mmCIF file of all heavy atoms in Angstrom:
data_model
loop_
_atom_site.group_PDB
_atom_site.id
_atom_site.type_symbol
_atom_site.label_atom_id
_atom_site.label_comp_id
_atom_site.label_asym_id
_atom_site.label_seq_id
_atom_site.Cartn_x
_atom_site.Cartn_y
_atom_site.Cartn_z
ATOM 1 N N PHE W 28 200.707 41.638 76.345
ATOM 2 C CA PHE W 28 199.275 41.249 76.544
ATOM 3 C C PHE W 28 198.517 41.370 75.266
ATOM 4 O O PHE W 28 197.700 40.469 74.966
ATOM 5 C CB PHE W 28 198.785 42.041 77.705
ATOM 6 C CG PHE W 28 197.433 41.689 78.097
ATOM 7 C CD1 PHE W 28 197.025 40.425 78.489
ATOM 8 C CD2 PHE W 28 196.272 42.580 77.955
ATOM 9 C CE1 PHE W 28 195.855 40.101 78.846
ATOM 10 C CE2 PHE W 28 195.007 42.207 78.276
ATOM 11 C CZ PHE W 28 194.708 41.060 78.716
ATOM 12 N N GLY W 29 198.719 42.461 74.537
ATOM 13 C CA GLY W 29 198.025 42.708 73.272
ATOM 14 C C GLY W 29 198.295 41.655 72.278
ATOM 15 O O GLY W 29 197.362 41.133 71.488
ATOM 16 N N ALA W 30 199.509 41.397 71.988
ATOM 17 C CA ALA W 30 199.997 40.386 71.033
ATOM 18 C C ALA W 30 199.332 38.917 71.394
ATOM 19 O O ALA W 30 198.824 38.306 70.570
ATOM 20 C CB ALA W 30 201.477 40.174 70.871
ATOM 21 N N MET W 31 199.533 38.559 72.642
ATOM 22 C CA MET W 31 199.012 37.223 73.027
ATOM 23 C C MET W 31 197.561 37.185 72.903
ATOM 24 O O MET W 31 196.895 36.251 72.440
ATOM 25 C CB MET W 31 199.346 37.017 74.477
ATOM 26 C CG MET W 31 200.940 36.768 74.732
ATOM 27 S SD MET W 31 201.553 35.363 73.785
ATOM 28 C CE MET W 31 203.196 35.438 74.320
ATOM 29 N N ASP W 32 196.802 38.334 73.393
ATOM 30 C CA ASP W 32 195.342 38.315 73.326
ATOM 31 C C ASP W 32 194.821 38.265 71.778
ATOM 32 O O ASP W 32 193.881 37.627 71.480
ATOM 33 C CB ASP W 32 194.846 39.537 73.967
ATOM 34 C CG ASP W 32 193.332 39.439 74.430
ATOM 35 O OD1 ASP W 32 192.927 38.305 74.557
ATOM 36 O OD2 ASP W 32 192.759 40.467 74.468
ATOM 37 N N GLY W 33 195.617 39.054 70.963
ATOM 38 C CA GLY W 33 195.147 39.034 69.570
ATOM 39 C C GLY W 33 195.380 37.609 68.934
ATOM 40 O O GLY W 33 194.485 37.246 68.171
ATOM 41 N N LEU W 34 196.395 37.011 69.176
ATOM 42 C CA LEU W 34 196.660 35.556 68.723
ATOM 43 C C LEU W 34 195.510 34.638 69.228
ATOM 44 O O LEU W 34 194.934 33.944 68.486
ATOM 45 C CB LEU W 34 198.100 35.117 69.146
ATOM 46 C CG LEU W 34 199.187 35.583 68.341
ATOM 47 C CD1 LEU W 34 200.535 35.361 69.123
ATOM 48 C CD2 LEU W 34 199.228 34.750 67.032
ATOM 49 N N VAL W 35 195.383 34.664 70.520
ATOM 50 C CA VAL W 35 194.458 33.674 71.155
ATOM 51 C C VAL W 35 193.019 34.003 70.751
ATOM 52 O O VAL W 35 192.354 33.024 70.391
ATOM 53 C CB VAL W 35 194.594 33.674 72.641
ATOM 54 C CG1 VAL W 35 193.525 32.814 73.362
ATOM 55 C CG2 VAL W 35 195.939 33.141 73.053
ATOM 56 N N THR W 36 192.610 35.276 70.734
ATOM 57 C CA THR W 36 191.307 35.656 70.407
ATOM 58 C C THR W 36 190.912 35.202 68.937
ATOM 59 O O THR W 36 189.886 34.529 68.745
ATOM 60 C CB THR W 36 191.081 37.170 70.495
ATOM 61 O OG1 THR W 36 191.249 37.527 71.910
ATOM 62 C CG2 THR W 36 189.767 37.619 70.090
ATOM 63 N N ASN W 37 191.735 35.605 67.956
ATOM 64 C CA ASN W 37 191.417 35.252 66.571
ATOM 65 C C ASN W 37 191.634 33.726 66.310
ATOM 66 O O ASN W 37 190.943 33.246 65.475
ATOM 67 C CB ASN W 37 192.287 36.120 65.584
ATOM 68 C CG ASN W 37 191.318 37.186 65.006
ATOM 69 O OD1 ASN W 37 190.196 37.395 65.419
ATOM 70 N ND2 ASN W 37 191.784 37.743 63.901
ATOM 71 N N ILE W 38 192.613 33.108 66.913
ATOM 72 C CA ILE W 38 192.744 31.642 66.681
ATOM 73 C C ILE W 38 191.473 30.978 67.219
ATOM 74 O O ILE W 38 190.932 30.131 66.472
ATOM 75 C CB ILE W 38 193.922 31.140 67.476
ATOM 76 C CG1 ILE W 38 195.194 31.594 66.718
ATOM 77 C CG2 ILE W 38 193.909 29.575 67.488
ATOM 78 C CD1 ILE W 38 196.490 31.206 67.385
ATOM 79 N N ALA W 39 191.025 31.338 68.447
ATOM 80 C CA ALA W 39 189.774 30.809 68.932
ATOM 81 C C ALA W 39 188.614 31.168 68.114
ATOM 82 O O ALA W 39 187.644 30.383 67.836
ATOM 83 C CB ALA W 39 189.607 31.269 70.410
ATOM 84 N N LEU W 40 188.444 32.382 67.578
ATOM 85 C CA LEU W 40 187.360 32.834 66.795
ATOM 86 C C LEU W 40 187.364 31.970 65.446
ATOM 87 O O LEU W 40 186.268 31.478 65.051
ATOM 88 C CB LEU W 40 187.457 34.235 66.341
ATOM 89 C CG LEU W 40 186.735 35.279 67.286
ATOM 90 C CD1 LEU W 40 187.052 36.689 66.795
ATOM 91 C CD2 LEU W 40 185.168 35.043 67.345
ATOM 92 N N ILE W 41 188.470 31.908 64.849
ATOM 93 C CA ILE W 41 188.507 31.193 63.557
ATOM 94 C C ILE W 41 188.266 29.617 63.794
ATOM 95 O O ILE W 41 187.484 29.060 62.960
ATOM 96 C CB ILE W 41 189.967 31.327 62.908
ATOM 97 C CG1 ILE W 41 190.085 32.773 62.483
ATOM 98 C CG2 ILE W 41 190.149 30.310 61.822
ATOM 99 C CD1 ILE W 41 191.484 33.073 62.016
ATOM 100 N N ALA W 42 188.672 29.045 64.911
ATOM 101 C CA ALA W 42 188.483 27.727 65.148
ATOM 102 C C ALA W 42 186.946 27.515 65.417
ATOM 103 O O ALA W 42 186.302 26.524 64.999
ATOM 104 C CB ALA W 42 189.239 27.266 66.407
ATOM 105 N N GLY W 43 186.393 28.483 66.139
ATOM 106 C CA GLY W 43 184.868 28.315 66.378
ATOM 107 C C GLY W 43 184.047 28.374 65.203
ATOM 108 O O GLY W 43 183.249 27.417 64.952
ATOM 109 N N VAL W 44 184.252 29.405 64.403
ATOM 110 C CA VAL W 44 183.423 29.486 63.170
ATOM 111 C C VAL W 44 183.760 28.475 62.180
ATOM 112 O O VAL W 44 182.831 27.948 61.428
ATOM 113 C CB VAL W 44 183.420 30.903 62.629
ATOM 114 C CG1 VAL W 44 182.869 31.837 63.538
ATOM 115 C CG2 VAL W 44 184.853 31.283 62.176
ATOM 116 N N GLY W 45 185.069 28.095 62.123
ATOM 117 C CA GLY W 45 185.488 27.081 61.136
ATOM 118 C C GLY W 45 184.871 25.747 61.592
ATOM 119 O O GLY W 45 184.505 24.971 60.729
ATOM 120 N N GLY W 46 184.863 25.459 62.896
ATOM 121 C CA GLY W 46 184.245 24.197 63.372
ATOM 122 C C GLY W 46 182.765 24.155 62.995
ATOM 123 O O GLY W 46 182.179 23.030 62.956
ATOM 124 N N GLY W 47 182.165 25.273 62.935
ATOM 125 C CA GLY W 47 180.740 25.304 62.566
ATOM 126 C C GLY W 47 180.486 25.117 61.109
ATOM 127 O O GLY W 47 179.287 25.025 60.700
ATOM 128 N N GLY W 48 181.521 24.959 60.301
ATOM 129 C CA GLY W 48 181.344 24.702 58.891
ATOM 130 C C GLY W 48 181.073 25.804 57.906
ATOM 131 O O GLY W 48 180.565 25.660 56.832
ATOM 132 N N VAL W 49 181.430 27.023 58.390
ATOM 133 C CA VAL W 49 181.120 28.222 57.510
ATOM 134 C C VAL W 49 182.167 28.304 56.429
ATOM 135 O O VAL W 49 183.281 27.667 56.422
ATOM 136 C CB VAL W 49 181.115 29.518 58.386
ATOM 137 C CG1 VAL W 49 180.077 29.467 59.476
ATOM 138 C CG2 VAL W 49 182.501 29.830 58.859
ATOM 139 N N SER W 50 181.876 29.192 55.358
ATOM 140 C CA SER W 50 182.801 29.242 54.273
ATOM 141 C C SER W 50 184.056 29.998 54.643
ATOM 142 O O SER W 50 184.119 30.773 55.629
ATOM 143 C CB SER W 50 182.058 30.020 53.197
ATOM 144 O OG SER W 50 181.894 31.414 53.594
ATOM 145 N N PRO W 51 185.180 29.865 53.866
ATOM 146 C CA PRO W 51 186.423 30.570 54.119
ATOM 147 C C PRO W 51 186.183 32.176 54.105
ATOM 148 O O PRO W 51 186.788 32.854 54.948
ATOM 149 C CB PRO W 51 187.411 30.217 52.926
ATOM 150 C CG PRO W 51 186.861 28.765 52.605
ATOM 151 C CD PRO W 51 185.381 28.822 52.758
ATOM 152 N N ARG W 52 185.254 32.629 53.337
ATOM 153 C CA ARG W 52 184.977 33.999 53.306
ATOM 154 C C ARG W 52 184.453 34.495 54.570
ATOM 155 O O ARG W 52 184.757 35.570 55.098
ATOM 156 C CB ARG W 52 184.071 34.342 52.092
ATOM 157 C CG ARG W 52 183.861 35.837 51.826
ATOM 158 C CD ARG W 52 182.973 36.089 50.603
ATOM 159 N NE ARG W 52 182.957 37.530 50.356
ATOM 160 C CZ ARG W 52 182.021 38.333 50.958
ATOM 161 N NH1 ARG W 52 181.157 37.860 51.796
ATOM 162 N NH2 ARG W 52 182.003 39.594 50.660
ATOM 163 N N SER W 53 183.513 33.695 55.138
ATOM 164 C CA SER W 53 182.886 34.018 56.434
ATOM 165 C C SER W 53 183.975 33.967 57.486
ATOM 166 O O SER W 53 183.874 34.777 58.530
ATOM 167 C CB SER W 53 181.814 33.100 56.798
ATOM 168 O OG SER W 53 180.716 33.252 55.844
ATOM 169 N N ILE W 54 184.957 33.010 57.437
ATOM 170 C CA ILE W 54 185.962 33.011 58.454
ATOM 171 C C ILE W 54 186.865 34.243 58.333
ATOM 172 O O ILE W 54 187.155 34.753 59.413
ATOM 173 C CB ILE W 54 186.902 31.723 58.158
ATOM 174 C CG1 ILE W 54 186.043 30.505 58.469
ATOM 175 C CG2 ILE W 54 188.153 31.778 59.010
ATOM 176 C CD1 ILE W 54 186.713 29.164 58.147
ATOM 177 N N VAL W 55 187.179 34.629 57.172
ATOM 178 C CA VAL W 55 187.965 35.872 57.058
ATOM 179 C C VAL W 55 187.218 37.096 57.601
ATOM 180 O O VAL W 55 187.780 37.950 58.308
ATOM 181 C CB VAL W 55 188.257 36.092 55.575
ATOM 182 C CG1 VAL W 55 189.037 37.500 55.380
ATOM 183 C CG2 VAL W 55 189.250 35.016 55.085
ATOM 184 N N LEU W 56 185.936 37.179 57.256
ATOM 185 C CA LEU W 56 185.133 38.278 57.761
ATOM 186 C C LEU W 56 184.990 38.327 59.300
ATOM 187 O O LEU W 56 185.212 39.401 59.911
ATOM 188 C CB LEU W 56 183.703 38.194 57.225
ATOM 189 C CG LEU W 56 182.667 39.259 57.703
ATOM 190 C CD1 LEU W 56 183.115 40.627 57.360
ATOM 191 C CD2 LEU W 56 181.270 38.991 57.125
ATOM 192 N N THR W 57 184.844 37.162 59.835
ATOM 193 C CA THR W 57 184.883 37.020 61.343
ATOM 194 C C THR W 57 186.197 37.397 61.949
ATOM 195 O O THR W 57 186.270 38.128 62.987
ATOM 196 C CB THR W 57 184.555 35.578 61.720
ATOM 197 O OG1 THR W 57 183.286 35.225 61.190
ATOM 198 C CG2 THR W 57 184.473 35.404 63.271
ATOM 199 N N GLY W 58 187.279 36.857 61.336
ATOM 200 C CA GLY W 58 188.588 37.288 61.838
ATOM 201 C C GLY W 58 188.850 38.789 61.755
ATOM 202 O O GLY W 58 189.518 39.273 62.695
ATOM 203 N N VAL W 59 188.567 39.368 60.667
ATOM 204 C CA VAL W 59 188.830 40.734 60.507
ATOM 205 C C VAL W 59 187.940 41.611 61.534
ATOM 206 O O VAL W 59 188.397 42.557 62.072
ATOM 207 C CB VAL W 59 188.519 41.222 59.065
ATOM 208 C CG1 VAL W 59 188.596 42.823 58.915
ATOM 209 C CG2 VAL W 59 189.572 40.600 58.028
ATOM 210 N N ALA W 60 186.752 41.197 61.631
ATOM 211 C CA ALA W 60 185.845 41.884 62.614
ATOM 212 C C ALA W 60 186.425 41.751 64.010
ATOM 213 O O ALA W 60 186.431 42.674 64.815
ATOM 214 C CB ALA W 60 184.418 41.334 62.524
ATOM 215 N N GLY W 61 186.942 40.482 64.319
ATOM 216 C CA GLY W 61 187.489 40.206 65.650
ATOM 217 C C GLY W 61 188.745 41.106 65.841
ATOM 218 O O GLY W 61 188.973 41.648 66.918
ATOM 219 N N LEU W 62 189.547 41.278 64.730
ATOM 220 C CA LEU W 62 190.734 42.115 64.879
ATOM 221 C C LEU W 62 190.406 43.539 65.161
ATOM 222 O O LEU W 62 191.030 44.129 66.029
ATOM 223 C CB LEU W 62 191.506 41.990 63.487
ATOM 224 C CG LEU W 62 192.956 42.624 63.439
ATOM 225 C CD1 LEU W 62 193.725 42.034 62.321
ATOM 226 C CD2 LEU W 62 192.805 44.131 63.176
ATOM 227 N N VAL W 63 189.547 44.039 64.406
ATOM 228 C CA VAL W 63 189.227 45.522 64.606
ATOM 229 C C VAL W 63 188.519 45.742 65.812
ATOM 230 O O VAL W 63 188.971 46.672 66.598
ATOM 231 C CB VAL W 63 188.263 45.894 63.457
ATOM 232 C CG1 VAL W 63 187.790 47.452 63.654
ATOM 233 C CG2 VAL W 63 189.010 45.892 62.106
ATOM 234 N N ALA W 64 187.497 45.009 66.235
ATOM 235 C CA ALA W 64 186.828 45.177 67.480
ATOM 236 C C ALA W 64 187.777 44.983 68.686
ATOM 237 O O ALA W 64 187.748 45.751 69.621
ATOM 238 C CB ALA W 64 185.642 44.221 67.542
ATOM 239 N N GLY W 65 188.593 43.893 68.564
ATOM 240 C CA GLY W 65 189.404 43.593 69.699
ATOM 241 C C GLY W 65 190.597 44.608 69.871
ATOM 242 O O GLY W 65 190.824 44.953 71.041
#
């Protein structure tokens, strides 16, 4: 459950902020924050 949730959560987070047109650095920041918090 943890592995699947980690994959889906960060894929969805990256897709969401990436779809909003943010910079790669912001995508990495968002992904790392999602990893730690999740």
